[in-house]
Amino acid sequence: GIATTRMLLQGMVARAERLALARIDLMEVRSATKGYHHRITKECASWLAERGLLVSQATLVNFYKEAPRTSRKRRERNEAARHLAKASGISLEVLKADQYVEPAPPERKRFSERALLRYLDSEVEALPEAMRWVIRVVACTGIRAGETFSLKIPDGDVKTGTTLHGWSSKRNRKGITTPTLRNRWMEWDLSNPPQAIKDLQVSHREPPTQEELDAIQRFTNQIGHEIRRKCSKQAAEALSFRSLRHHATARLYEIGELDEVLIAEALFTSTAQLNKTYSQLYRNRSAELIAKAFSKQEPEQIQTLSPERARRLAKLDRHREPEKTQFQKLYEALQEADEEAINED
């Protein structure tokens, strides 16, 4: 790595940092989370020291306001300022106008199912067997890479609808998923994890220890590096864990008949996260899906009509166009294409 030097902290800033770091060490969170809070707190203390500033409400406000509100750096700086303020006994309330604002979710690149399967079938062969297993399980289920190590795989055929029990790290509870990527689970022999995966496997009934989580995270981070190093640029983009989970989520949404709670359960996530990230998958189809839902309603029961309503319905029927058949729609589309071709000539 690159060696970096840090200004020697003195006086009030040094004491505030020491106390803040000690408080963070007492937090009952993962070591990676503690490392995150250590890092942002040190960055705040260094920012103050480099400018010759003391720890005060005004300087901490200036510190976090330096980052744009829609940048994650603003969220980090808000948290870091709170750590130093608490350690220094300073009252600091981050106003709503100064808090981090979640930006609109990015439009994720979508690969065709055919292209994605091609990458999963061939490009990943350049990777070690254990890495291939994790990538393909994520592609089949949509769960997080670290959660694949908790799956209890039953004997026999595993297909869409087969229950796979695991531990949902995000929600810290048991989860259930199932493969959704055609028949690839059996084709890729995912029911037989390589020894390197077995060595890292954790319980599907209870949360893993911090040591187990750290070992799994080191391995999944290494997978990302190997994908970028050994696969083509296009394949590396498609095979990232974020991309694979996105495709698995979109696959479930596009069925159009699954309850959002079931989708969240299968992906080991929450409906709130789905709404935040994938609501655009419903936007353009809202009218279509509402019509489909209402078509399942019981028809209105026949009853005696008043003369006024009978006349109104008869008038409506005269103006209502009959539903076109699929053949009519296809015929009109072909006619329209012919006309466009003539106009272009």
Side-chain angles (χ1 to χ4, degrees), residues 191-231:
S191 292
N192 295 303
Q195 188 58 47
I197 299 298
K198 292 178 180 178
D199 292 342
L200 292 171
Q201 276 184 322
V202 295
S203 172
H204 67 282
R205 293 194 182 97
E206 57 188 21
T209 65
Q210 189 58 57
E211 290 74 23
E212 289 172 331
L213 281 173
D214 290 343
I216 288 171
Q217 187 173 29
R218 284 194 295 271
F219 186 78
T220 55
N221 287 344
Q222 190 181 356
I223 295 175
H225 294 312
E226 287 298 296
I227 289 174
R228 291 188 292 274
R229 195 168 71 87
K230 293 186 176 179
C231 297

Side-chain angles (χ1 to χ4, degrees), residues 127-140:
L127 304 175
E129 184 184 16
M131 293 187 178
R132 294 200 303 268
W133 186 88
V134 175
I135 292 166
R136 286 168 170 170
V137 171
V138 172
C140 282

Side-chain angles (χ1 to χ4, degrees), residues 155-215:
D155 295 331
D157 281 356
V158 174
K159 55 188 177 182
T160 301
T162 300
T163 298
L164 301 175
H165 294 276
W167 188 263
S168 172
S169 59
K170 194 77 170 180
R171 297 173 300 172
N172 200 34
R173 66 173 176 84
K174 296 175 186 176
I176 292 176
T177 187
T178 192
T180 61
L181 192 60
R182 302 185 184 271
N183 59 353
R184 286 305 202 278
W185 184 280
M186 298 303 293
E187 184 180 329
W188 290 330
D189 195 24
L190 299 180
S191 292
N192 295 303
Q195 188 58 47
I197 299 298
K198 292 178 180 178
D199 292 342
L200 292 171
Q201 276 184 322
V202 295
S203 172
H204 67 282
R205 293 194 182 97
E206 57 188 21
T209 65
Q210 189 58 57
E211 290 74 23
E212 289 172 331
L213 281 173
D214 290 343

Side-chain angles (χ1 to χ4, degrees), residues 95-114:
L95 300 176
K96 188 174 182 180
D98 293 335
Q99 292 173 7
Y100 167 71
V101 176
E102 188 84 39
E107 287 291 332
R108 303 194 189 282
K109 184 172 181 179
R110 184 79 189 273
F111 294 85
S112 70
E113 198 90 321
R114 184 177 178 182

